[in-house]
Amino acid sequence: MLTLGMTNGDYQEVVLGFYYSQDKCEEAAIEQHVSGECYPVDEIIHSGEQPAMTE
């Protein structure tokens, strides 16, 4: 996941893709000309939140 800095100064968490490694994510950010941070998918779920589940 990449967190993007918008031109108006706000930050937006945007999933542009999923990659198998930190290096691949950073390479994709460079290729897409995006200034952002790569995070592991496990860290997307914020503390105390439960992911949606189907029964």
Side-chain angles (χ1 to χ4, degrees), residues 1-4 12-17 19 25-26 28-30 32 34-39 44:
M1 181 178 87
L2 293 171
T3 299
L4 304 176
Q12 184 81 33
E13 289 183 348
V14 179
V15 177
L16 296 179
Y19 306 94
C25 181
E26 291 170 0
I30 292 168
Q32 296 178 42
V34 173
S35 177
E37 300 292 326
C38 296
Y39 296 103
I44 295 173

Side-chain angles (χ1 to χ4, degrees), residues 1-52:
M1 181 178 87
L2 293 171
T3 299
L4 304 176
M6 310 299 274
T7 56
N8 65 1
D10 289 339
Y11 286 88
Q12 184 81 33
E13 289 183 348
V14 179
V15 177
L16 296 179
F18 293 95
Y19 306 94
Y20 291 106
S21 70
Q22 181 77 17
D23 291 338
K24 293 291 184 189
C25 181
E26 291 170 0
E27 287 174 16
I30 292 168
E31 288 175 8
Q32 296 178 42
H33 303 287
V34 173
S35 177
E37 300 292 326
C38 296
Y39 296 103
V41 174
D42 294 346
E43 293 181 12
I44 295 173
I45 300 171
H46 299 282
S47 154
E49 293 181 0
Q50 296 293 320

